[in-house]
Amino acid sequence: MDFDLSETQELIASGAREFLAARVSGDLVRNIAAGTGSYSDSWWRDVTQLEWPGLLVPEELGGAGLGFPELGALLEEWGAVLAPGPLLETALQGASAINRFGNDGQLKEFLPPIAAGEMIVTPAVHEEQPAWAHISLNASARFINGRWTLNGEKRFAPFAANANLMLVSASTGPSADDCTLFLVRPEDSRGIELTPMKTAAGPPLSRVRLHDVQVTEDAVLGEVGRGQEAIDYLMLLGAVGRSLQMAGAARQVVNMTVDYVSNRHQFGRPVGSFQAVQHHCANMAVAAKGMALLSRKAAWTLSEGSNPARAAAMAKVKANRELPYVCALAHQCHGAIGFTWEHNLHLFTRHALHWRSDYGDTNYHRKKLMTEASA
Amino acid sequence: MDFDLSETQELIASGAREFLAARVSGDLVRNIAAGTGSYSDSWWRDVTQLEWPGLLVPEELGGAGLGFPELGALLEEWGAVLAPGPLLETALQGASAINRFGNDGQLKEFLPPIAAGEMIVTPAVHEEQPAWAHISLNASARFINGRWTLNGEKRFAPFAANANLMLVSASTGPSADDCTLFLVRPEDSRGIELTPMKTAAGPPLSRVRLHDVQVTEDAVLGEVGRGQEAIDYLMLLGAVGRSLQMAGAARQVVNMTVDYVSNRHQFGRPVGSFQAVQHHCANMAVAAKGMALLSRKAAWTLSEGSNPARAAAMAKVKANRELPYVCALAHQCHGAIGFTWEHNLHLFTRHALHWRSDYGDTNYHRKKLMTEASA
Amino acid sequence: MRFDFTPEEQRFRDDLASFLNGALPPGWIGPADESRDDHWQLYIDVRRGLADRGWLTVGWPKQYGGKGVFPITSTIFAEQMAYHRAPGNDRFGTRMIGPTLIRFGTEDQKRRFLPPIARGEVQWCQGYSEPDSGSDLASIRTRAVQDGHDFIITGSKIWSTLAHRADWMFLLARTDPDAPRHKGITMFLCDVHSPGVSVKPILNMAGYHSFNEVRFDSVRVPRSQVVGGINNGWSTGLALLNFERSGIDYVGWASRTLDDIAHYARSAPDPDSSSLIYDPLFSAQLVDLKVEVESARLLTYEAAWQQGKGEASPTAASISKLAASEVNQRVHDFAVEMLGMYGPLAPGSDLAAFEGALLKLRLFYTSGTILAGSNEIQRNIIAARGLNLPRK
Amino acid sequence: MRFDFTPEEQRFRDDLASFLNGALPPGWIGPADESRDDHWQLYIDVRRGLADRGWLTVGWPKQYGGKGVFPITSTIFAEQMAYHRAPGNDRFGTRMIGPTLIRFGTEDQKRRFLPPIARGEVQWCQGYSEPDSGSDLASIRTRAVQDGHDFIITGSKIWSTLAHRADWMFLLARTDPDAPRHKGITMFLCDVHSPGVSVKPILNMAGYHSFNEVRFDSVRVPRSQVVGGINNGWSTGLALLNFERSGIDYVGWASRTLDDIAHYARSAPDPDSSSLIYDPLFSAQLVDLKVEVESARLLTYEAAWQQGKGEASPTAASISKLAASEVNQRVHDFAVEMLGMYGPLAPGSDLAAFEGALLKLRLFYTSGTILAGSNEIQRNIIAARGLNLPRK
C-alpha cells in the first residue's frame, strides 16, 4: 500500500488547486445553480490549455497517457471548488470509453481533438429511467440503406448544449439487452433538439430529442447490440469520478467550517471552542477522509485492481451518505449565515443532492454489493 | 389526548417503584444473568400478594379488572429494575389469552388461580424458528380415543421450570395454518422434559420436549386448527409488554447515568459538565421519552384503539433501536467502571439484547409496517 | 392516559382540513413564497378565513378572541396547517407575541394589539438576532435610549422572517448598557412602518426571500409599547421563545412529505419491483421514518399537554423541537433521494417531481435545526434544566 | 498511490494465516479467555511460534529482534491476528513498551528488555489508569519516592489487562508532587513479582477476567528502570499511547464477524426468503457495514503508512481508532441481532450460535470506544491537533 500521491499526481493536484482557486468563484457556481449564469467558453478554454481533457488519452494520440489516479487527483480538486465544466464527461467518460471500445479509426478521429481541448463529450444514455436501471430503451436505431436512423428521447445529458460529441444509446433489437452506443456529432446531424432541464446545481442537463437523426456505420462504438457493456462502463466511470469530486467537496466543506468556527465568536469565545462544535468538526473530518480513501481506491482499481465495480459501489455509497451528512453538520456549525443564498455552503449541499443521484444512487450501489455478498 | 397516568395507574406505578426498589438488587439480576442465581419463590410470592398477576383478570373471577395501560404502568417499573419473574407471561399473556380465547369453563378454571397468584403461565410456542415467523410447526398433536397426544420440541419457553400452565402450540393438520393452542398443566402431565437454555440475561428459558403428552379435549384454547390467531395475540402482547419494560429500563439507564456523571470528576470538574457528555445524556433522555410514549400508546391501543399490531410494531421497533443505543451512550458516559461485571449497567445491555430478539425482532416488525405501508 | 382525540378535537381537525382544502388552490403543493404577491394574497385570505372561524387563535382566552381551548387543539391546528403546507399561520402573532402579551402585557396593550391578531388583520415579525448575536442572544447591541415618553432605537436585526410583509415587530433592545448583559434588555413593540425602519431582503439557500435584515435608524417608539417592564426583556423574551418552541410544524411537514413520497412510490417504476413501494430498501427507510415521526408527534403533543396543565416545561418543548426538526430533515432528505435523478430538478423544470417542491423544502428545512435555538442549544437546555447536569 | 499489498506483504499475510490455522485448535472460534489455563497456554504457544518466525516484532529494527519492515507489515500482522481471533499478540510488549524503549530507552534497557519481548518469552502489562484517574490521566496519584538508587512506589493502578499473567508492567507514577500536574510524572518498568505488588482480578461485563487492579505497597524499583527521564513521564507516556493507538484490531475483528454472519446467513432459514442472506433487510445492513469496515481499514493503513514515513500524526491514529472501534461495535451488535433469539444465548448453551462467542464479543467490545482514550477524547484530539480549533 502507498497512500501518497505520486509526484505527478501531486503536481496535478497542486496546480489544479492554484488555478481553480483563482478562477472558480462562488458566484460563478451560484449563478449556474440559479439558472441565471451560464457555462463560460473562455473559462473552459483556459482549462483545456492545461491539457486536462487529454490526461487519459495515450501519448501517441496527443494526450498525457496518464491513469485514473492522476485524473482522480484532478477530479478531487475539481469537486472541491464545484468547478463547472464537462471534465468528468470528456476527460474521464469520453476519452476512456472511446479508448476502450473504439476501433482504430475512432481512436484517431476522436481522441486527438479531445486531448487538444477541441471536443466536448457528453453521454446521452438516460431516458425516463436512468441508464443503470437496465430497463429497455425507448430510443431506437434502425439500419436502413447503410445508415442508422435514431429516434427517441434521452434525458439528463450533462453539458449537452456545449458538447460536440454525444454518446447516444439506442435499442437495436427486440430484447432489452439489444442496445448499441453511437457516437453522434450534433454539428453534423440534423434532428437533434435540446431542452434544458433546470437543476438544483451540478452540471446543466438537457433533454435530447432525436428526430430521424442519421449517422453512418462508423458511428457505432464497439459492436452493434453490445452497447450495454459500454454503458455500464460509462456508469462505472461516472460513479468513480463523482465519488472523487464528492470527496474533494467534503474536504472543502470541512475547511470552510473550521475557518468559520475558528473566527465566529459567541458567548465571548470562538464557536469552535465548544465541544459540541469540535465534535461535529471531528466527525466531518473523519467522514471526509474516509470518502477520499474509498474514492481514490476506486480510481486506482479502475487502473490496476480487480473488481472495479465493487470498489466504485463502495466509494459511491460512502460518498452518497457522507457528503450530505458533512454538509448538514457544516450547516449546524455555520448557523443562520450558512442558510443564505449569498453564502457558498448551500452550493455544496445542492451539489451533494445532485451528485448522489447520478451514476447510481445509494440503493442502486447497495444492491450491487448485496448481490455480490449473497453470490 | 391525555398523557397523564390515571390515578390508578399512578398508584400502581408508585407502589411498584417502592416495592421493587426495596426488593430487586443488582446482584439478584446479575446472578440470574450469570446462570448462578435462580428465580426465587419467596420473592414471587410477595409479588403475588400485591395482586399484580390478576390486574387484567375480571373482578368476578377474582382479579382487579383493569386494562392494559394499568398493567403497562407496572411493566415499565418492572422493566426499570430488570425484575425477574413471570409477570409479563402470566399477568399479560396468560390472563389475556385465556380471557379472550377461553370458554367459560376455562375462564373459571384458570383465571381465579392466576389472580390469586397460584398459577404461573408460560407460552411454549417457539420451535427452531420463532412463533412469529409463521413457519409450520414440527410439534404435533393427534386426537386419539378422545384425547390429544402431543409430541415435539418447543424452545425459548420463559420461566418454564416455574410454570404450572403452559400454552403449547402444536400442528393439528397438514397445512402450516393448522395449528392449535393447548393448555397444558405440567404437574398433571407425563412426558414433559425441560432443559435450561443458558441466556445472557432476561427470563430463564427452557427447551420443552414433549413425549406423548396427553391432554383432554378441554385443553384446547379456542378452536382446533385456529391456534394461529391466539399465537399472534400472544406475540402482540409480548411485543407491547417488552416495549414497556424496555422503556422503563431506558429511563432507569438515563437516571443512573445522570447520577454518575454528576458525581464523577475528571479534569477538576464533574464529567457531566462536559458538553459532549451533556449531549449524550440529552440524546438518551429524548430516546427514552420517545420509547415511553410509543409503548404506552401501544398498551392503550390494545385496550381502546384501532390497529394494535401497528402500534405494537412501532413501539417495538423504537424500543429495539433505542434501548441498545441508550445503553451504549450510558457506557460512554460511565467509562471503564461501567464495563465491569460488578456494575449494574451491563445488565441493562444484556437485557436489551435479549428483549429486542423476542416477540418480534426489529426486522420482523419493520416488515409488518412495510407490508401495511405498501398495501 | 389516552392517545386519541376527543370528538370535539376530531371535529375541529376535520373542519379545519376541509376549510383548507377549499381555501387552497386545487392541487396546491406549496410551500408558499410570501414574497410573491399571489402567495401573499393567499396568505392573507387564509389567515382571514381562519380568523373568521375563530381558529387562528383557537387556544387564546375567549376575551381576547380565542376559544380558550386546551393547547392540544392549538397543536392540532398547527399540525394541520403544516400538513397542508398552508400559508396564513401567523405564528409570530398568534404563538409568540400574543401569548406573551396575554401573560405580561398591560391591559391597554392587550386591548390594542390582541384583537387585530385574532381577527387576522395584522402581520407580526420578530427582532431578536443580530449579525453578531445568534445563539448568544444576550450579546445584542441594538440600543434603545429613553427620550421623554419615547425610546429611540438604533441598531440592526437579522433573520426577521416576513418583515417585508409585516405591520409590527416585537424586538429586544439594550436599554442599560452598563448593567450585566442579561439585565439591561427591554422588549418593544414597533410599527414596522415607523420612520427610520428599513427592511432589506435576504435570499435564503432555497433561493427565495423569507428573511430580512431590519435596520433601525433612530426609530421612535412610545414607552407604552414596552412589554414586561424596562430592563426586564430577557425573561420576557425567553418566555416568548418557550411559547414558540414546539416541534409540531416539523411533524406536520414531515408527515405530509412521507405521505407524498409513499403515494409517488406506488406508481413510480422500479428496476427490481413492480413499483418503488415494493422495493424493500425504499419501504424499510419509509417505515423507520414513520416510527420516528410518530415518536416526535407524541413528544410534541405531550409538551402541549403539559403546557395545558400549566406545567410549561422548557424541557418538553426542547425535546419536541429537537426530535421533530431532526426527523423532518431526514424525511425530506429521504424524499429527494428517493426521487432519484428527478429529485434535484428545480422548480421550473417540467420534469421535476412535485414541481420541485420537495427539493425546495429539503433545502429550506436545513434551517429547522438552527433557528429558534439551535439543536445544540436545545441539548444544552435538556441537560441543564431537564437533567440538572452540573454546569461546571 | 497503490491499494494492494506488495508480493512480500502478500506472502507474509498468507504465511501468517497458514501458521495461525495450524497453531489454533481446529474450529477455533475464540475469543481467548487468558484467565483459563488452557487458553493461556495457547497464548504462550502462539506467541512463541510467532516469535520464532520473527513475526511478533516484525516491525522492530533488526538489531532488537525485528525485521525492520515498514509498519504496513505490522498492520497486516495485527489485522490477521485479530481476524483469526488469535491469542498471543502481546501488544503491551510489542506495540507499546517496545517501541517506547527503542525511542526513549537507555542502551542498557534496550539490551535487557527488548530481546525477551521479541523472543516471546515475557508478558507486559500497563499501569496508567487509577480509580480516580481515567480520561484525566495527569491526575494520577500513585507516588514514587526516591530512596538511594531506588524508587519506592505506592498506589493503585486499575484496568491492567493481563496483569494476572504478566511478568512486567510499565507504569506512570508521580515523582514530584509539587510540580504542575503534567511535570512531575515518571515512567517506570516494574517486575510484577516484586514484593509489595498485589494483583486483584476485575471481572468484565462479558463475564470473564481480563482486567486487574494492581496495588503497589512500597514497591522498590531501581532507578535504572526509569524510562525517558525522571519527571518526563508525561511526554514518554503519551508517545507510548500513540504507538498503541490504532484501529487495526477492531478492523480485523469486525471483518471476521461480518464474514461469520454472512456465512451463517447462507444456511440460516428465513421466513420470507430461501435463506437469510437473500433477505434484503439483512443484506442491506451487511453491505453498509462492509463499506464502513473498508473505510476504517483504509484509514488505519493510512495511519500506519504515515507512521512509516516518520510522520506519526496523532490525528491519523485517532481517526483510525475512532472509526474502527465504532464500526466494530456496530458489526457485533448487528451480528447478535441477526442471530435472532439465538443471539443472546450464552456460551455454554448447546443452541448458542457460534458457541456464544459473538454475544461475548458484542459485550466485550463495548470497551473499544472507551479504552485507550475514549472516543470523546479522540474527537477532542482531532479537533484540537488535527483541525487546530481554538481551545477557548
Side-chain angles (χ1 to χ4, degrees), chain D residues 109-373:
Chain D
Q109 287 171 343
K110 292 179 191 176
R111 267 198 301 273
R112 179 172 169 204
F113 292 107
L114 294 177
I117 296 174
R119 289 196 303 264
E121 292 169 355
V122 292
Q123 182 61 40
W124 283 80
C125 70
Q126 181 172 21
Y128 270 35
S129 293
E130 298 181 6
D132 290 323
S133 304
S135 289
D136 183 11
L137 189 57
S139 69
I140 55 163
R141 291 191 294 200
T142 292
R143 287 291 318 275
V145 179
Q146 194 150 8
D147 179 47
H149 288 293
D150 296 338
F151 280 83
I152 313 287
I153 299 181
T154 302
S156 189
K157 292 292 176 180
I158 201 166
W159 317 127
S160 292
T161 300
L162 279 184
H164 55 305
R165 295 295 191 182
D167 306 295
W168 285 86
M169 171 187 272
F170 52 88
L171 74 155
L172 298 178
R174 191 163 298 283
T175 34
D176 183 353
D178 302 322
R181 31 187 255 144
H182 296 87
K183 302 283 184 186
I185 293 173
T186 302
M187 181 185 286
F188 294 93
L189 308 179
C190 175
D191 184 337
V192 178
H193 307 297
S194 307
V197 177
S198 58
V199 177
K200 199 182 116 197
I202 300 173
L203 213 59
N204 68 31
M205 71 179 267
Y208 64 100
H209 169 201
S210 59
F211 292 142
N212 301 274
E213 183 170 354
V214 182
R215 300 230 174 102
F216 295 82
D217 183 6
S218 300
V219 176
R220 192 165 282 274
V221 174
R223 199 190 151 133
S224 62
Q225 287 164 215
V226 165
V227 182
I230 294 168
N231 291 334
N232 197 31
W234 183 250
S235 65
T236 318
L238 285 193
L240 181 144
L241 284 183
N242 269 336
F243 291 126
E244 173 198 19
R245 195 169 286 151
S246 163
I248 194 58
D249 310 285
Y250 305 109
V251 166
W253 293 326
S255 302
R256 167 61 177 272
T257 294
L258 276 188
D259 285 352
D260 279 353
I261 199 71
H263 184 260
Y264 167 88
R266 277 171 223 287
S267 53
D270 184 66
D272 303 316
S273 307
S274 53
S275 72
L276 184 58
I277 196 84
Y278 295 111
D279 179 340
L281 298 199
F282 169 84
S283 59
Q285 286 171 274
L286 178 74
V287 302
D288 287 350
L289 288 166
K290 276 178 183 261
V291 171
E292 288 309 305
V293 169
E294 177 66 7
S295 178
R297 172 182 282 119
L298 293 177
L299 290 169
T300 297
Y301 273 100
E302 198 214 14
W305 173 261
Q306 287 190 17
Q307 199 192 328
K309 292 196 302 169
E311 300 167 5
S313 151
T315 304
S318 290
I319 287 178
S320 136
K321 192 263 178 178
L322 180 65
S325 61
E326 293 188 353
V327 74
N328 184 50
Q329 284 184 352
R330 287 173 59 197
V331 162
H332 284 87
D333 190 55
F334 165 73
V336 169
E337 184 167 20
M338 291 306 116
L339 295 173
M341 296 189 74
Y342 294 89
L345 293 183
S349 168
D350 62 341
L351 292 173
F354 298 96
E355 299 173 13
L358 298 190
L359 171 70
K360 202 169 168 179
L361 293 170
R362 160 67 176 79
L363 294 169
F364 184 77
Y365 293 143
T366 301
S367 62
T369 51
I370 296 167
L371 298 188

Side-chain angles (χ1 to χ4, degrees), chain B residues 186-254:
Chain B
E187 301 146 22
D188 303 344
S189 313
R190 287 195 188 170
I192 296 180
E193 183 197 349
L194 301 184
T195 323
M197 299 172 77
K198 202 163 178 287
T199 66
L205 301 178
S206 293
R207 296 166 83 158
V208 181
R209 292 196 179 80
L210 308 161
H211 306 288
D212 289 330
V213 176
Q214 301 216 343
V215 294
T216 66
E217 272 189 284
D218 296 342
V220 172
L221 184 66
E223 288 174 46
V224 173
R226 302 279 301 272
Q228 192 60 52
E229 195 189 341
I231 294 170
D232 287 347
Y233 191 57
L234 288 173
M235 295 299 103
L236 173 66
L237 294 167
V240 175
R242 278 289 182 260
S243 303
L244 289 158
Q245 287 179 282
M246 292 168 91
R251 165 169 48 84
Q252 183 80 352
V253 170
V254 174

Side-chain angles (χ1 to χ4, degrees), chain A residues 128-129 155-156 198 200 207 264 266-267 280 331-332 336 339-341 346 350 353 356-357 362-363 367, chain C residues 131-132 134-136 159 203-205 211 269 272 279 333 337 341-342 344 346 350 364 366 369-370 376:
Chain A
E128 184 182 351
Q129 289 289 302
R155 290 181 178 177
F156 303 102
K198 203 163 178 287
R207 295 166 83 159
R264 165 82 173 173
Q266 289 284 275
F267 304 101
H280 281 341
H331 277 293
Q332 277 314 108
F339 185 66
T340 59
W341 178 258
H346 74 95
R350 288 168 172 267
L353 300 182
R356 81 171 167 190
S357 79
T362 315
N363 283 346
K367 286 175 189 171
Chain C
D132 290 323
S135 290
D136 184 11
W159 318 127
L203 214 59
N204 68 31
M205 70 180 267
F211 293 142
D272 304 315
D279 180 341
D333 190 55
E337 185 167 20
M341 295 188 74
Y342 295 89
D350 62 340
F364 184 77
T366 302
T369 52
I370 295 167
E376 287 72 25

Side-chain angles (χ1 to χ4, degrees), chain A residues 20-103:
Chain A
L20 295 170
R23 294 298 302 275
V24 181
S25 70
D27 281 341
L28 174 65
V29 181
R30 190 175 358 263
N31 291 339
I32 290 177
T36 53
S38 80
Y39 168 83
S40 139
D41 286 339
S42 77
W43 128 259
W44 182 251
R45 248 196 320 277
D46 292 344
V47 167
T48 64
Q49 298 299 311
L50 297 161
E51 304 186 355
W52 290 344
L55 280 186
L56 297 184
V57 172
E59 288 180 84
E60 61 273 21
L61 295 171
L66 296 172
F68 294 112
E70 284 70 33
L71 180 56
L74 174 58
L75 282 169
E76 276 189 58
E77 302 306 324
W78 194 253
V81 297
L82 309 175
L87 185 71
L88 181 145
E89 296 76 8
T90 301
L92 179 59
Q93 292 176 310
S96 307
I98 292 169
N99 198 30
R100 177 155 166 178
F101 295 99
N103 56 37

Side-chain angles (χ1 to χ4, degrees), chain A residues 196-208:
Chain A
M197 299 172 75
K198 203 163 178 287
T199 66
L205 300 179
S206 294
R207 295 166 83 159
V208 181

